[in-house]
Amino acid sequence: MAFTTPQGRTATSLSEINVTPLVDVMLVLLIIFMVTAPILQTGIDVQLPETRSVKETNPEQRIVLSISREGLIYYGSEAINFSTIGEHIRREARGPKESIYLRADKDVKWNSIVSVIDAIKAAGFSEINLVTKPFSEPRRK
């Protein structure tokens, strides 16, 4: 692109875009998404108890409540109050026959687990599944 200056000379403008800053920003965003995506998918870090019988489920279509080691209750990855468990479940559930999955850290007191199960049942849901991980047997030499 050419244009005329007040002195009558013709000058050209720089019409090329410097893509280096764009590439830098995109790489930083890519790294941020790569780091945060696994955290968003797995939710809360809970050390699940081990059992011999574990049934695989579809993680995309389920309502998951988690109880952390500290006794905090999470709906997905959002910390919630004990008194609002029913509200959160009713908002997402398709009906009273919906399966609710409860993940609890293996060091959580049984009283906390029973209280959350009772709150789920009080909300009108009876399909409660406790999430565990497969039992890992020690390696034999």
Side-chain angles (χ1 to χ4, degrees), residues 20-82:
T20 305
L22 176 67
V23 171
D24 290 344
V25 169
M26 292 312 228
L27 287 174
V28 168
L29 287 174
L30 177 66
I31 291 169
I32 290 171
F33 286 125
M34 288 173 55
V35 170
T36 58
I39 295 170
L40 295 175
Q41 282 184 337
T42 58
I44 307 308
D45 185 30
V46 174
Q47 295 294 324
L48 296 173
E50 296 178 347
T51 58
R52 292 191 193 284
S53 60
V54 176
K55 185 174 86 171
E56 294 293 324
T57 58
N58 183 3
E60 300 295 323
Q61 300 174 342
R62 63 181 181 180
I63 297 174
V64 179
L65 288 171
S66 301
I67 306 173
S68 69
R69 180 180 301 228
E70 296 80 24
L72 300 174
I73 302 168
Y74 293 89
Y75 181 78
S77 60
E78 171 191 1
I80 63 170
N81 191 332
F82 178 78

Side-chain angles (χ1 to χ4, degrees), residues 51-118:
T51 58
R52 292 191 193 284
S53 60
V54 176
K55 185 174 86 171
E56 294 293 324
T57 58
N58 183 3
E60 300 295 323
Q61 300 174 342
R62 63 181 181 180
I63 297 174
V64 179
L65 288 171
S66 301
I67 306 173
S68 69
R69 180 180 301 228
E70 296 80 24
L72 300 174
I73 302 168
Y74 293 89
Y75 181 78
S77 60
E78 171 191 1
I80 63 170
N81 191 332
F82 178 78
S83 61
T84 62
I85 290 174
E87 296 171 22
H88 283 87
I89 295 174
R90 277 190 229 106
R91 190 177 335 140
E92 296 291 325
R94 288 179 243 133
K97 298 290 184 188
E98 180 85 24
S99 292
I100 311 298
Y101 292 87
L102 180 60
R103 300 172 68 232
D105 194 278
K106 63 183 179 181
D107 295 328
V108 170
K109 293 186 179 183
W110 181 243
N111 186 37
S112 299
I113 297 170
V114 171
S115 298
V116 171
I117 291 173
D118 188 49

